[in-house]
C-alpha cells in the first residue's frame, strides 16, 4: 500500500481484509451501506478535530442518510459509554466533542431555477440537515438560494423564466426578441453570480473536506461525464443518467430534463491541494462506474479521476460497489477456502474475457488465466464440472412443481413482473398450485401529479356525459362502491382485447371513482364532483415533486394497485389473490423509518398464517445498498418469516430471491437459472404496456435506459442468456430435445434458499452493526 491513510481509515482498512491497493486513488471497503455512513462520519470528526474552522462541503439526498444519522448520534452520545467505546475502537478516543459552529459550509450544487422554500430544493436540504440539524453557523455558510440571484431588472426567475426553461445558447447567439434579451442579460448575471460564488470559496482557501456520492455516469456534484477537470462553479445542463437519478426529487423526468443546475466544479473541489476529498458509493449497480473511476488515468470521461491530483482523496465503498475492482477480485479468489462457486465464476468470466465457448477452452487456456490457474486440481474435466453445475441450475429452473402455494412479493408494483414473471406464468399453469401476489408498499411516489390531473379531468368529463352510470344510484355511495372492484379489471381487459382505448380509460376512471368515494367518504354525486375539483385544486397548486396530502397519496397508491391487479388478471389470477399491504414505513419521506413490528411485520405474518405459502419470493438486497424500500421490505419479510417459524415447522419452506433492473446476479451466485422464451419476452412487453399505465412513459426511469422498464428487463435477460450461451454453446439451446430450451432467448438468475439460509443473509447487515447505537 503506497498511500498514507488517516487513523480512522487505517482502522477500517484493517477490517476490510484487502491486503493491497493498486488503484490511482486509495479506497476502503466496508460491509454495507450503514457502515459506510459510520466511516464517513468518523472521518469527518477526525478532520474537524484538526480543522475546527475548516471549509466543508457535504452531500445532499438519500445517500447522506447514514452519514447524517451517525454524525448526530455521535454528537448526542459523545460522552456516553457506548459513544466512547465506538470512538476508542476507531482511534478517536482522545479527542474532545467538537463544536461545529466554527466550520464554514459550502453547498455543492442546486437545481436552477427552484423556489428555495420547496422541500426538494438542495438549499432547503442544506439548511434543514446541516445548518439547523448539525448546528452549523449560517453566517459562515455559502448557500445557493435561487431566489437571491439577481436577474435583469431585479426580476425574479419566475418572471424571466416563467416555464422554468433556460436556453443556454443565448450565451453564444443574438437574442431575437425582447423576452430573449431579458433572458440573455439574466443568464449573464447568473454566470456572474457563479463566478462570485467560486471566488468566495477560493478566498476561504478552497474546500478542506469534501464528502459526496457518485452518479451512475460518474458525476461528482453535478459535474457529469465530460466535465473539464479544471471547471469552476457554473450554471450547466445535465445528461440523461443524472436527470433519471434526480427525477424522483423533481417530480419526474419531464421536469428534470428541463431543469438546469448550479454546481461547483471539479476544479473547485481540487483547488486546495490539501483537500480531503471523499467519494462514497454503495451497491453493485455502481460497480462499473467505480471501476472506471479508480482504474483509469485522468480523463474527462470519468469525472472522479480528477481527484487523483489530491493526495488526500479517497473512495469509501461497500463490497458490492467494489466488486469489479481488480484488487477486490484478487481478494475474492485468494482469501478464504476455494469453493465451486469460485470455479464457476472464474471459468464463466474467462469465456467472456477471451470470447471463447466453454467447449473450446483448453487446460492451457485455464492455466494462462490468473484466476482459473488457482482452481485446485485443474484438469481436462474442470470446465465440464462447471457446465454440469450450470446445466443443473437450468434444469431446476425448468422443473415442474405441483401442490405449491406461491406467495410472490414485490417492494413496489411491477417488481415481481420485472423480476420473475416468466417463472410465475409456468407456476400458474399447474392447476394444483395456488398463486398469491403481494405488493408491500403503496408506490404512490411513482404517480405524477400530471398523470392524476389528466385522469381526474377525464373522470369529470365522463360523469358529465353520464358515462359513469353507477354514480346515478344513491346505493352506490352507501355501500355499492365496495363491491365489484374486479369488474373494473375485467372491463379493462375486455377492451384490451377489443382494442378500445376509450373504454380502457373509462375502466380506469371507474376505479378512480370507487377510490375517491372510499377515501373521502363521498355521499352523493354532487359531493363527488366537489371532491374531484378539490383534488384538482390541490394538485394544481402543488410544485413539482412536492409531498401530497395523505389522502391524495393513498389515491395515487390505489391507482398503482389497479395496475398490479390488471397484470395478474391477464393470466387468470383472481383479484382477491393480489394483495396490497401498504406497509407503514413507506411514507414518501426523504429518510424513511425502519420497519416496525406491529405496523410492518405483523401484516405479512398474518398473510403467512392465512395462506400458508410453501414458496415465498422477494427482491434480494441484503447489503441495504440499493433502493431503500427494497432493503426495508426484505427486513420486514425476514421478521415475519422468523416469527412464523416460532409457530410452525418451516423446514420445507423455500425462499426464492430475485433481482430486477436495479441489480444483477452473477450465475455463480445463484442456485436456479430460469429459461425465458421469446414468447415470454413478448408477453412481458405487451402486458407492461397495457397494464402499467403510469409507467409506459416512465416519469422515474432507470438511468440505464431512456425507455420502459420492461425493455430494460428484456435487455438484461438477453445479456444473461448470452453469458450462459458462451459457456454452454449455442447448440445446447438450439439442438436441445426440450422445446423450452430451443425457444430460450433470455435467462433469469434466482436464489433458492431454505429458511435458515435466508434469515442468515437477511440479518447479516443487522449483525454487522450490532453494538453501534
Amino acid at each position: 500500500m503506497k498511500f498514507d491513510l488517516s487513523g480512522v481509515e487505517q482502522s477500517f482498512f484493517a477490517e476490510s481484509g484487502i491486503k493491497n491497493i493498486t488503484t490511482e486513488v486509495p479506497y476502503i471497503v466496508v460491509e454495507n451501506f450503514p457502515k459506510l455512513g459510520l466511516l464517513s462520519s468518523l472521518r469527518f470528526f477526525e478532520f474537524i478535530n484538526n480543522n475546527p474552522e475548516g471549509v466543508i462541503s457535504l452531500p445532499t439526498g438519500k445517500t447522506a442518510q447514514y452519514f447524517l444519522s451517525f454524525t448526530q448520534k455521535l454528537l448526542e452520545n459523545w460522552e456516553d459509554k457506548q459513544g466512547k467505546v465506538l470512538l476508542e475502537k476507531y482511534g478517536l478516543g482522545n479527542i474532545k466533542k467538537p463544536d461545529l459552529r466554527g466550520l464554514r459550509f459550502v453547498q455543492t450544487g442546486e437545481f436552477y431555477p427552484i423556489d428555495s422554500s420547496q422541500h426538494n430544493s438542495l438549499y432547503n436540504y442544506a439548511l434543514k440537515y446541516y445548518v439547523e440539524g448539525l448546528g452549523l453557523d449560517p453566517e459562515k455558510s455559502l448557500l445557493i438560494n435561487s431566489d437571491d440571484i439577481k436577474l435583469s431588472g431585479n426580476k425574479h426567475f419566475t418572471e424571466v423564466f416563467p416555464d422554468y426553461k433556460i436556453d443556454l445558447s443565448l450565451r453564444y447567439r443574438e437574442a431575437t426578441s425582447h423576452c430573449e434579451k431579458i433572458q440573455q442579460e439574466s443568464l449573464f448575471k447568473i454566470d456572474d453570480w457563479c463566478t462570485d460564488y467560486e471566488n468566495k470559496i477560493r478566498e476561504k482557501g478552497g474546500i478542506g473536506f469534501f464528502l459526496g456520492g457518485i452518479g451512475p455516469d460518474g458525476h461528482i456534484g453535478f459535474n457529469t461525464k465530460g466535465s473539464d477537470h479544471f471547471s469552476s462553479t457554473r450554471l450547466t445542463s445535465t445528461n440523461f443518467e443524472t436527470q433519471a437519478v434526480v427525477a424522483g426529487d423533481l417530480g419526474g423526468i419531464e421536469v428534470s430534463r428541463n431543469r438546469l443546475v448550479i454546481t461547483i466544479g471539479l476544479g473547485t473541489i481540487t483547488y486546495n491541494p490539501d483537500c480531503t476529498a471523499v467519494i462514497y458509493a454503495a451497491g453493485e449497480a455502481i460497480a462499473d462506474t467505480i471501476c472506471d473511476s479508480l482504474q483509469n488515468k485522468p480523463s474527462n470521461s470519468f469525472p472522479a479521476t480528477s481527484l487523483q491530483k489530491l493526495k488526500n482523496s479517497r473512495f469509501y465503498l461497500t463490497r458490492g460497489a467494489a466488486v469489479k475492482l481488480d484488487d477486490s477480485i484478487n481478494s475474492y479468489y485468494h482469501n478464504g477456502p476455494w469453493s465451486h462457486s469460485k470455479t464457476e465464476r472464474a471459468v464463466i468470466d474467462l469465456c467472456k474475457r477471451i470470447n471463447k465457448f466453454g467447449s473450446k477452452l483448453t487446460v492451457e487456456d485455464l492455466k494462462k488465466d490468473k484466476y482459473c490457474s488457482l482452481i485446485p486440481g485443474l484438469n481436462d474435466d474442470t470446465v465440464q464440472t462447471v457446465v454440469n453445475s450450470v446445466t443443473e441450475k437450468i434444469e431446476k429452473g425448468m422443473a415442474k412443481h405441483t401442490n405449491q402455494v406461491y406467495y410472490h412479493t414485490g417492494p413496489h408494483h411491477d417488481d415481481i413482473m420485472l423480476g420473475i414473471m416468466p417463472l410465475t406464468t409456468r407456476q400458474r399453469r399447474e392447476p394444483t398450485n395456488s398463486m398469491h401476489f403481494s405488493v408491500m408498499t403503496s408506490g404512490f411516489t411513482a404517480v405524477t401529479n400530471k398523470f392524476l390531473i389528466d385522469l381526474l379531468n377525464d373522470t369529470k368529463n365522463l360523469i358529465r356525459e353520464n358515462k359513469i352510470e353507477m354514480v346515478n344510484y344513491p346505493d352506490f355511495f352507501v355501500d355499492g362502491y365496495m363491491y365489484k372492484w374486479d369488474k373494473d379489471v375485467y372491463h379493462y381487459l375486455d377492451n384490451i382485447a377489443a382494442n378500445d382505448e376509450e373504454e380502457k380509460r373509462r375502466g380506469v376512471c371507474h376505479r378512480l371513482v370507487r377510490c375517491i368515494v372510499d377515501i373521502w367518504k363521498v355521499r352523493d354525486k354532487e359531493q363527488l364532483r366537489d371532491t374531484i375539483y378539490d383534488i384538482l385544486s390541490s394538485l394544481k397548486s402543488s410544485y413539482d415533486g412536492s409531498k401530497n396530502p395523505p389522502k391524495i397519496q393513498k389515491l395515487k397508491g390505489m391507482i398503482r394497485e389497479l395496475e398490479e391487479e390488471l397484470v395478474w388478471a391477464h393470466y387468470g389470477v383472481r383479484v382477491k389473490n393480489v394483495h396490497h399491504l401498504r406497509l407503514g414505513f413507506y411514507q414518501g419521506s426523504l429518510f424513511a423509518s425502519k420497519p416496525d413490528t406491529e405496523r410492518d411485520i405483523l401484516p405479512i405474518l398474518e398473510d403467512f398464517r392465512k395462506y400458508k405459502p410453501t414458496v415465498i419470493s422477494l427482491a434480494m438486497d441484503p447489503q441495504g445498498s440499493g433502493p431503500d424500500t427494497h432493503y426495508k421490505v426484505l427486513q420486514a419479510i425476514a421478521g415475519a418469516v422468523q416469527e412464523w417459524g416460532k409457530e410452525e415447522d418451516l423446514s420445507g419452506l423455500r425462499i426464492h430471491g430475485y433481482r430486477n433492473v436495479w441489480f444483477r446476479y452473477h450465475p455463480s451466485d445463484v442456485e436456479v437459472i430460469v429459461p425465458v422464451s421469446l414468447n415470454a419476452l413478448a408477453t412481458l412487453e405487451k402486458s407492461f404496456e397495457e397494464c402499467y399505465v403510469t409507467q409506459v412513459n416512465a416519469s422515474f426511469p432507470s438511468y440505464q435506459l431512456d425507455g420502459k422498464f420492461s425493455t430494460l428487463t428484456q435487455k438484461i435477460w438477453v445479456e444473461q442468456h448470452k453469458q450462459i450461451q458462451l459457456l454452454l454453446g449455442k447448440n445446447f439451446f438450439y439442438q436441445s430435445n426440450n422445446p423450452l430450451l430451443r425457444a430460450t432467448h433470455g435467462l433469469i438468475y434466482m436464489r433458492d434458499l431454505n429458511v435458515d439460509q435466508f434469515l442468515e443473509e437477511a440479518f447479516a447487515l443487522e449483525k454487522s452493526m450490532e453494538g453501534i447505537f
Side-chain angles (χ1 to χ4, degrees):
M1 184 177 67
K2 58 184 178 182
F3 305 103
D4 294 324
L5 301 179
S6 75
V8 166
E9 290 170 337
Q10 288 176 20
S11 298
F12 280 87
F13 183 78
E15 290 181 356
S16 73
I18 294 177
K19 305 299 182 184
N20 191 37
I21 297 175
T22 62
T23 52
E24 300 297 329
V25 173
Y27 65 91
I28 297 171
V29 173
V30 296
E31 290 299 323
N32 49 59
F33 197 15
K35 207 154 189 177
L36 203 62
L38 176 64
L39 166 57
S40 303
S41 178
L42 290 169
R43 182 66 185 97
F44 176 56
F45 283 121
E46 188 177 40
F47 172 84
I48 297 172
N49 183 56
N50 297 318
N51 304 273
E53 297 182 354
V55 180
I56 61 170
S57 187
L58 302 174
T60 53
K62 286 187 176 182
T63 56
Q65 175 180 0
Y66 289 109
F67 165 74
L68 275 165
S69 175
F70 281 116
T71 299
Q72 291 167 341
K73 286 178 179 178
L74 281 164
L75 287 171
E76 293 167 1
N77 297 277
W78 200 275
E79 303 297 334
D80 296 346
K81 180 180 178 181
Q82 196 173 8
K84 287 182 177 179
V85 169
L86 186 61
L87 291 166
E88 185 71 36
K89 178 179 180 180
Y90 292 107
L92 299 181
N94 295 323
I95 71 172
K96 296 180 180 179
K97 181 179 179 179
D99 183 351
L100 274 57
R101 290 174 297 178
L103 297 172
R104 293 169 289 171
F105 177 79
V106 173
Q107 186 177 334
T108 304
E110 177 62 286
F111 309 115
Y112 188 87
I114 191 169
D115 188 323
S116 61
S117 65
Q118 291 183 192
H119 88 285
N120 56 349
S121 79
L122 302 183
Y123 169 85
N124 184 279
Y125 184 104
L127 207 60
K128 180 178 180 180
Y129 292 105
Y130 290 128
V131 175
E132 297 173 4
L134 295 185
L136 302 180
D137 187 344
E139 298 299 319
K140 295 177 182 176
S141 300
L142 277 181
L143 301 176
I144 305 173
N145 186 332
S146 295
D147 295 308
D148 288 346
I149 300 177
K150 302 301 181 185
L151 305 182
S152 178
N154 266 342
K155 295 179 184 293
H156 190 261
F157 63 74
T158 52
E159 300 174 88
V160 179
F161 308 109
D163 58 359
Y164 287 73
K165 294 180 181 178
I166 303 175
D167 184 356
L168 292 180
S169 73
L170 286 169
R171 282 177 175 150
Y172 317 112
R173 64 174 177 85
E174 291 292 327
T176 59
S177 66
H178 177 67
C179 178
E180 278 199 348
K181 183 65 175 174
I182 293 174
Q183 290 180 341
Q184 186 180 61
E185 291 171 356
S186 298
L187 180 54
F188 289 139
K189 282 185 172 291
I190 298 169
D191 290 340
D192 288 341
W193 185 94
C194 290
T195 299
D196 183 57
Y197 191 83
E198 178 76 18
N199 287 334
K200 287 178 179 177
I201 297 173
R202 297 191 178 209
E203 286 168 2
K204 297 176 184 292
I207 297 170
F209 183 88
F210 176 87
L211 176 63
I214 184 169
D217 68 320
H219 71 246
I220 305 297
F222 285 116
N223 295 282
T224 57
K225 199 171 193 176
S227 294
D228 191 313
H229 286 193
F230 295 94
S231 56
S232 58
T233 304
R234 65 204 183 280
L235 176 70
T236 185
S237 58
T238 56
N239 54 13
F240 170 74
E241 293 95 330
T242 305
Q243 292 159 6
V245 169
V246 302
D249 297 318
L250 293 176
I253 191 73
E254 303 87 351
V255 181
S256 60
R257 280 191 198 278
N258 296 311
R259 198 62 59 89
L260 301 183
V261 294
I262 293 174
T263 182
I264 63 173
L266 296 173
T268 315
I269 299 170
T270 58
Y271 172 73
N272 177 359
D274 295 321
C275 175
T276 297
V278 176
I279 303 299
Y280 66 154
E284 294 171 28
I286 200 74
D288 284 319
T289 300
I290 295 301
C291 192
D292 289 337
S293 300
L294 284 175
Q295 296 186 175
N296 282 288
K297 296 295 182 182
S299 167
N300 286 4
S301 296
F302 312 116
T305 57
S306 64
L307 303 181
Q308 291 177 23
K309 68 181 73 171
L310 296 176
K311 62 182 178 181
N312 293 323
S313 59
R314 302 284 187 268
F315 273 65
Y316 297 164
L317 309 169
T318 63
R319 292 204 180 277
V323 73
K324 294 192 177 180
L325 293 174
D326 289 344
D327 299 333
S328 292
I329 295 171
N330 286 333
S331 178
Y332 167 77
Y333 283 113
H334 286 94
N335 292 344
W338 192 269
S339 63
H340 182 71
S341 64
K342 288 185 178 182
T343 300
E344 279 189 355
R345 183 181 290 263
V347 171
I348 292 170
D349 289 351
L350 177 61
C351 288
K352 181 179 180 180
R353 194 157 47 246
I354 65 176
N355 194 28
K356 198 170 185 179
F357 287 113
S359 61
K360 303 294 184 181
L361 288 179
T362 65
V363 174
E364 287 306 309
D365 289 329
L366 302 181
K367 288 180 177 178
K368 289 177 184 176
D369 183 69
K370 62 179 178 179
Y371 301 128
C372 287
S373 61
L374 300 173
I375 298 172
L378 183 61
N379 59 46
D380 291 336
D381 293 328
T382 297
V383 174
Q384 189 60 46
T385 64
V386 175
V387 169
N388 292 344
S389 61
V390 171
T391 301
E392 184 179 333
K393 293 179 183 183
I394 294 173
E395 289 171 352
K396 286 182 181 178
M398 295 190 296
K400 181 180 179 180
H401 296 281
T402 60
N403 298 302
Q404 300 297 311
V405 179
Y406 292 98
Y407 189 88
H408 295 298
T409 75
H412 308 95
H413 306 84
D414 72 26
D415 276 330
I416 304 171
M417 167 189 256
L418 299 175
I420 52 171
M421 186 179 192
L423 177 63
T424 66
T425 302
R426 286 177 214 142
Q427 294 167 345
R428 178 196 52 77
R429 288 178 184 147
E430 168 53 49
T432 63
N433 290 337
S434 177
M435 307 293 291
H436 295 270
F437 297 88
S438 183
V439 181
M440 297 289 140
T441 67
S442 78
F444 61 82
T445 57
V447 182
T448 64
N449 284 354
K450 184 182 184 306
F451 179 91
L452 185 53
I453 288 170
D454 290 345
L455 186 60
L456 286 163
N457 281 326
D458 287 348
T459 303
K460 183 178 62 175
N461 293 335
L462 288 170
I463 293 172
R464 187 181 66 246
E465 296 165 6
N466 203 33
K467 291 184 177 179
I468 300 184
E469 296 178 6
M470 60 190 183
V471 301
N472 295 323
Y473 301 97
D475 288 351
F476 173 76
F477 296 96
V478 178
D479 60 1
Y481 71 91
M482 294 187 292
Y483 308 113
K484 298 184 179 179
W485 287 55
D486 55 345
K487 183 179 178 182
D488 305 326
V489 171
Y490 292 105
H491 178 99
Y492 189 96
L493 296 182
D494 284 343
N495 287 289
I496 289 177
N499 287 314
D500 191 329
E501 293 297 324
E502 184 177 330
E503 283 300 304
K504 282 165 56 182
R505 187 68 166 178
R506 192 161 75 92
V508 178
C509 293
H510 268 88
R511 175 61 69 89
L512 186 71
V513 167
R514 295 183 195 277
C515 296
I516 291 172
V517 173
D518 182 35
I519 297 169
W520 275 269
K521 308 304 177 187
V522 174
R523 289 294 169 251
D524 55 46
K525 187 175 179 179
E526 183 178 350
Q527 188 183 357
L528 174 62
R529 287 197 194 97
D530 291 342
T531 303
I532 290 174
Y533 278 109
D534 288 343
I535 299 169
L536 283 167
S537 177
S538 175
L539 291 170
K540 289 176 180 177
S541 64
S542 302
Y543 57 83
D544 292 316
S546 63
K547 187 174 180 179
N548 298 127
K551 286 185 177 180
I552 294 180
Q553 287 182 350
K554 186 174 182 180
L555 181 62
K556 285 184 172 183
M558 292 175 82
I559 293 170
R560 294 287 277 147
E561 291 168 1
L562 168 64
E563 294 177 332
E564 197 73 13
E565 292 169 6
L566 290 172
V567 168
W568 304 117
H570 252 70
Y571 308 101
V573 176
R574 293 179 179 180
V575 171
K576 69 177 184 178
N577 281 30
V578 182
H579 312 295
H580 312 296
L581 269 64
R582 304 175 187 170
L583 298 186
F585 77 82
Y586 185 88
Q587 298 172 353
S589 302
L590 186 64
F591 302 143
S593 60
K594 293 180 179 179
D596 173 80
T597 299
E598 292 294 322
R599 182 192 62 194
D600 302 310
I601 295 176
L602 189 56
I604 305 173
L605 177 59
E606 288 175 348
D607 265 9
F608 290 167
R609 290 167 173 163
K610 183 176 181 180
Y611 303 117
K612 300 189 181 302
T614 58
V615 179
I616 298 169
S617 74
L618 52 90
M620 287 285 282
D621 178 28
Q623 288 190 6
S625 55
D628 195 49
T629 307
H630 286 210
Y631 168 66
K632 289 177 178 175
V633 164
L634 171 66
Q635 292 299 298
I637 293 173
V641 169
Q642 187 176 51
E643 290 302 311
W644 194 31
K646 296 175 183 178
E647 303 169 2
E648 298 210 15
D649 176 13
L650 301 184
S651 58
L653 178 66
R654 303 304 300 178
I655 309 294
H656 288 171
Y658 64 84
R659 292 185 172 180
N660 50 32
V661 297
W662 302 107
F663 301 100
R664 306 183 194 187
Y665 282 120
H666 190 279
S668 64
D669 294 330
V670 302
E671 293 79 23
V672 180
I673 298 177
V674 181
V676 180
S677 68
L678 201 59
N679 178 61
L681 292 172
T683 301
L684 171 84
E685 185 76 6
K686 184 64 175 176
S687 52
F688 187 92
E689 282 187 357
E690 293 285 6
C691 300
Y692 289 113
V693 291
T694 64
Q695 302 301 303
V696 174
N697 299 308
S699 292
F700 309 101
S702 167
Y703 57 80
Q704 300 173 68
L705 179 74
D706 190 359
K708 299 187 296 293
F709 282 112
S710 55
T711 305
L712 178 57
T713 296
Q714 178 172 330
K715 180 174 178 285
I716 292 169
W717 291 350
V718 168
E719 288 174 356
Q720 292 178 169
H721 175 243
K722 290 179 179 178
Q723 185 180 30
I724 297 301
Q725 195 178 53
L726 197 55
L727 171 71
L728 302 182
K730 293 183 178 181
N731 290 344
F732 175 86
F733 295 95
Y734 299 159
Q735 297 182 7
S736 173
N737 292 326
N738 189 308
L740 176 55
L741 284 179
R742 292 198 303 273
T744 295
H745 293 274
L747 292 173
I748 295 171
Y749 299 155
M750 191 177 73
R751 302 296 313 277
D752 180 19
L753 307 170
N754 62 34
V755 168
D756 291 339
Q757 291 168 329
F758 166 64
L759 293 179
E760 182 179 357
E761 289 197 21
F763 293 136
L765 188 153
E766 288 188 7
K767 290 178 181 177
S768 72
M769 299 302 292
E770 283 179 3
I772 303 177
F773 300 113

